[in-house]
Amino acid sequence: MLNYRGDRTARLIANIVMTVLSVCALLPFLLLVGASFTEEKAAVLNGFSIIPSQFGLGAYQYILKEFGTIGRAYLITIVVTVVGTALSMTITTLMAYALTKRVPGVKILNFLVIFTMLFNGGLVPTYYVYSNILRVKDTIWALIVPGLLMNAFSIMLVKNYFRTAIPKELLESAKMDGAGQATVLTKIVLPLSTPILATIGINSALAYWNDWTNGLYYLTDARLFSLQTILNKINENVQFLANNSDKLSGIVNTSDLPTTTMRMAVAVIGILPVVFIFPFFQKYFIKGITIGAVKG
Amino acid sequence: MYLKRVAKIKKYLPIYFMMVPGILYLLINNYLPMAGIVIAFKKLDWKKGIFKSDWVGLENFTYLFKTDDAFIMTRNTILYNLLFITLGMICAVSVAILLNEIRSKTAKKLYQSLILLPYLMSMVIISYLAYAILSNETGFLNKSILPLFGMEPISWYQEKKYWPFILTIINIWKSVGFSCIIYLASIVGINPEYYEAARLEGAGKWKQIRYITLPLLMPTVITMFILNIGGIFRSDFGLFYLVPRGSGILNSVTQTIDTYVYKGLMQQGNLSMSSAAGVYQSVVGFITILASNALVRKLDKESALF
């Protein structure tokens, strides 16, 4: 009881500091939202602020007007995220399950999986393989396949879960009953593995939703742009104009480009799904990190 | 004998079948590009393809290391990583200790969710957030904060000296919510009896942290530190490429190996240098990872990657 007071002060300090840190984490997002709801002229005059200096919905009207482009990008992002995550989970669980079995060659395969964490060919050969051999350029596959379908870390997570969390007796008795491997996997192992599936699922979905590099490397066809790719392209165009304004003045019509507040509004709608869907999966996300750290 | 083998293969067949998609993907996504490393030793001619282009030996590398770029990108990659790793670690451990002091479950979860939020965003979004703060004309700093102190607006995207700070702050802001999770988990795992005993001895909170929490957290900290050092040759492409918004003036403080490789490949068509830099990164990175893992293995076998 002697230090009860000390504990209370410590708790108070912890709460104060964490509140400050949380506000710091949130502030840039509030600024982004504030900026997106500001009347363009007021934004140019007074700058961005968390509470709009003059409230306006112009930026969102722009999104509605440009719904053909932005809505399409949104749809592509959703499709890529859903299809990509489903494919990725399937390939990963199949591979992880197979790697827990003692079949000839499994040791080498385990090594080949882990080796990808240590060494890679780098961007140039990867780009060459995907664009010249597999020809994914300007196809929807460019957003799904390169880099994101399977990774060693998820395989290790799932493999270790299968090894430790599924009772061996259960697998044995299923085998006695004459169940094949596919049946064992789908009827016994997977139903017991929802937590780890949720973990790799949320990791994969986040990776797909946030990916902008594949669009940058492999897409020139604007009809295939995902939301992140569009956001990046808008930036590139604005930067290009800003850096070459002297040479381009009069040639390019700058009013065709989305204004600053419009850009902020597109970013806001890109964030929304993550902010609203992620909290439901946060538990599994955090679990994935902690087990990953205990045994990577 | 023969029948036995057939039976065995039949038994294994479904397992191998399950591996097919994974193996195919390893092949196209990882091992074909690894073979493609030969590009760095050739004078690449897109028309002839990788394998038919002419060999030039180490020429690409000698050219690369004669340029100032090689030094600058290596220096930046390593120094930024050291900064990110050490400061990031100090912040993450501090946040974990603070979070552990909070008793209310709702408050704890709320704090954790909020500081994790930046980690969930793509670098494109982060670059928008940074722009909202740093923009010359409309940025929060220039329009709202600096005037409060009577300071003149600063052209953030044109001033080199600020960028080591800006990039470090963004990196830590983005990653601390994620990296504190590991330390929090290991603090939660500390036997409460230690604290009980310390309390009976009259040790205050600070002493408990100093003499119990921190020492017991040390193995995790050291392991994470060494593992992170293993990745010292890799950099966050998005952070260094997107956040400075292509400002050429900032090049000497924002160029890392990854941005150099990308620009060489996509913007300048400087393939030989770009691929040489890529191989340089892969090979040296491989060595640092092996070394760091060997060290971790020695200290704490369980935590080693392999």
Side-chain angles (χ1 to χ4, degrees):
Chain A
M1 289 315 273
L2 201 67
N3 280 291
Y4 185 58
R5 250 177 86 93
D7 277 12
R8 262 219 317 237
T9 354
R11 210 172 302 160
L12 185 69
I13 294 171
N15 270 299
I16 293 171
V17 179
M18 284 316 299
T19 308
V20 172
L21 291 181
S22 303
V23 170
C24 289
L26 202 57
L27 215 67
F29 295 97
L30 298 178
L31 185 64
L32 185 80
V33 176
S36 74
F37 282 108
T38 309
E39 197 60 58
E40 180 65 28
K41 277 188 188 126
V44 172
L45 194 68
N46 309 320
F48 298 140
S49 47
I50 293 164
I51 299 155
S53 53
Q54 194 185 337
F55 185 83
L57 287 170
Y60 290 92
Q61 278 161 0
Y62 161 80
I63 292 179
L64 283 181
K65 205 187 92 206
E66 290 292 315
F67 198 73
T69 324
I70 293 165
R72 188 190 175 91
Y74 220 81
L75 192 69
I76 285 182
T77 310
I78 293 170
V79 169
V80 164
T81 303
V82 171
V83 174
T85 305
L87 281 176
S88 161
M89 288 176 76
T90 313
I91 297 178
T92 305
T93 37
L94 282 175
M95 189 73 179
Y97 180 74
L99 287 179
T100 59
K101 298 291 161 201
R102 279 203 210 117
V103 293
V106 80
K107 275 205 172 133
I108 300 167
L109 276 166
N110 262 315
F111 172 78
L112 288 177
V113 169
I114 292 171
F115 191 70
T116 62
M117 294 209 272
L118 316 176
F119 193 77
N120 59 66
L123 178 63
V124 183
T126 309
Y127 175 80
Y128 184 89
V129 167
Y130 276 113
S131 52
N132 291 36
I133 299 177
L134 295 162
R135 302 193 181 281
V136 298
K137 266 194 150 180
D138 283 327
T139 67
I140 189 81
W141 300 110
L143 294 174
I144 295 176
V145 180
L148 298 168
L149 262 187
M150 187 177 86
N151 65 72
F153 183 71
S154 298
I155 291 185
M156 306 264 276
L157 280 185
V158 180
K159 213 177 72 184
N160 287 329
Y161 187 92
F162 285 167
R163 274 221 186 102
T164 51
I166 314 285
K168 288 232 159 47
E169 305 77 52
L170 215 57
L171 299 179
E172 287 299 319
S173 68
K175 222 190 238 168
M176 300 280 249
D177 293 343
Q181 292 291 358
T183 323
V184 174
L185 178 61
T186 51
K187 293 271 154 62
I188 296 170
V189 176
L190 289 185
L192 288 172
S193 308
T194 39
I196 201 72
L197 294 177
T199 300
I200 62 160
I202 186 67
N203 284 341
S204 175
L206 261 180
Y208 275 106
W209 187 271
N210 283 336
D211 182 63
W212 54 278
T213 50
N214 281 341
L216 177 73
Y217 301 151
Y218 306 111
L219 294 186
T220 49
D221 183 351
R223 287 174 306 167
L224 289 169
F225 284 176
S226 68
L227 206 62
Q228 305 287 346
T229 310
I230 288 226
L231 280 167
N232 185 34
K233 288 285 171 191
I234 294 174
N235 252 350
E236 279 180 0
N237 293 338
V238 171
Q239 284 160 29
F240 182 75
L241 279 183
N243 295 337
N244 300 284
S245 53
D246 44 332
K247 287 169 243 161
L248 293 167
S249 60
I251 306 171
V252 180
N253 187 2
T254 39
S255 63
D256 286 347
L257 277 173
T259 61
T260 45
T261 57
M262 292 171 189
R263 272 144 47 198
M264 298 298 155
V266 182
V268 170
I269 63 161
I271 290 175
L272 285 182
V274 179
V275 174
F276 286 107
I277 297 174
F278 182 79
F280 296 103
F281 292 90
Q282 184 171 331
K283 195 173 90 188
Y284 300 108
F285 181 77
I286 288 177
K287 216 170 216 152
I289 300 165
T290 40
I291 28 177
V294 172
K295 184 71 212 161
Chain B
M1 193 60 200
Y2 175 76
L3 275 178
K4 223 177 171 180
R5 247 168 88 181
V6 170
K8 228 178 184 172
I9 289 173
K10 239 184 173 170
K11 208 178 97 196
Y12 293 151
L13 214 55
I15 298 288
Y16 288 127
F17 202 65
M18 287 176 179
M19 290 179 182
V20 169
I23 292 174
L24 263 178
Y25 191 65
L26 281 178
L27 200 68
I28 60 168
N29 191 65
N30 302 95
Y31 287 94
L32 262 179
M34 278 186 215
I37 275 180
V38 294
I39 294 178
F41 304 93
K42 294 192 165 206
K43 185 175 167 52
L44 189 68
D45 184 340
W46 287 110
K47 274 178 227 130
K48 289 186 188 168
I50 291 185
F51 298 101
K52 283 184 189 147
S53 294
D54 303 325
W55 290 99
V56 292
L58 293 173
E59 205 173 86
N60 294 334
F61 293 90
T62 36
Y63 273 126
L64 174 69
F65 287 109
K66 270 185 193 152
T67 62
D68 291 339
D69 294 329
F71 170 70
I72 291 172
M73 68 188 175
T74 309
R75 177 199 66 191
N76 287 353
T77 309
I78 291 177
L79 289 184
Y80 275 117
N81 266 320
L82 284 177
L83 211 57
F84 294 173
I85 293 168
T86 42
L87 285 179
M89 195 154 254
I90 292 168
C91 294
V93 169
S94 316
V95 169
I97 289 173
L98 286 167
L99 271 176
N100 188 51
E101 287 305 318
I102 286 151
R103 288 288 157 270
S104 152
K105 270 202 172 145
T106 345
K108 198 171 176 177
K109 194 169 178 228
L110 184 68
Y111 294 142
Q112 217 175 357
S113 306
L114 288 175
I115 58 169
L116 191 58
L117 189 63
Y119 183 80
L120 308 175
M121 298 298 144
S122 78
M123 261 306 162
V124 182
I125 300 285
I126 305 281
S127 77
Y128 273 69
L129 297 174
Y131 182 74
I133 294 171
L134 300 173
S135 154
N136 288 348
E137 305 85 24
T138 50
F140 190 60
L141 275 180
N142 278 353
K143 285 284 183 172
S144 303
I145 302 294
L146 294 184
L148 284 182
F149 300 96
M151 286 160 79
E152 288 297 305
I154 295 168
S155 301
W156 298 100
Y157 290 96
Q158 266 82 49
E159 297 264 9
K160 270 191 226 173
K161 59 182 174 203
Y162 300 114
W163 280 84
F165 298 97
I166 295 173
L167 293 171
T168 307
I169 291 170
I170 294 179
N171 177 274
I172 291 174
W173 173 79
K174 188 177 196 289
S175 63
V176 74
F178 174 82
S179 41
C180 78
I181 291 170
I182 292 160
Y183 302 113
L184 185 60
S186 82
I187 294 175
V188 171
I190 295 174
N191 190 341
E193 280 174 22
Y194 293 135
Y195 294 105
E196 291 293 330
R199 227 173 270 153
L200 286 177
E201 298 285 328
K205 218 42 308 152
W206 174 245
K207 280 202 165 147
Q208 291 174 29
I209 291 172
R210 172 78 184 73
Y211 294 105
I212 301 174
T213 316
L214 286 179
L216 288 176
L217 206 52
M218 246 359 193
T220 317
V221 169
I222 292 171
T223 308
M224 294 308 293
F225 182 78
I226 301 171
L227 287 179
N228 287 335
I229 289 290
I232 200 162
F233 258 71
R234 295 176 181 174
S235 68
D236 184 342
F237 172 54
L239 178 66
F240 294 98
Y241 176 68
L242 294 176
V243 178
R245 297 176 69 82
S247 173
I249 302 167
L250 303 176
N251 231 354
S252 66
V253 288
T254 56
Q255 180 94 291
T256 62
I257 306 177
D258 296 83
T259 60
Y260 179 87
V261 172
Y262 172 77
K263 286 176 192 163
L265 172 66
M266 296 290 194
Q267 294 172 349
Q268 292 142 3
N270 195 353
L271 263 170
S272 43
M273 298 282 220
S274 172
S275 52
V279 170
Y280 160 59
Q281 179 181 40
S282 295
V283 172
V284 183
F286 181 56
I287 295 167
T288 55
I289 290 180
L290 280 189
S292 73
N293 191 70
L295 198 57
V296 172
R297 236 183 133 75
K298 242 183 185 167
L299 294 171
D300 171 20
K301 211 170 169 208
E302 281 294 293
S303 309
L305 270 176
F306 52 92

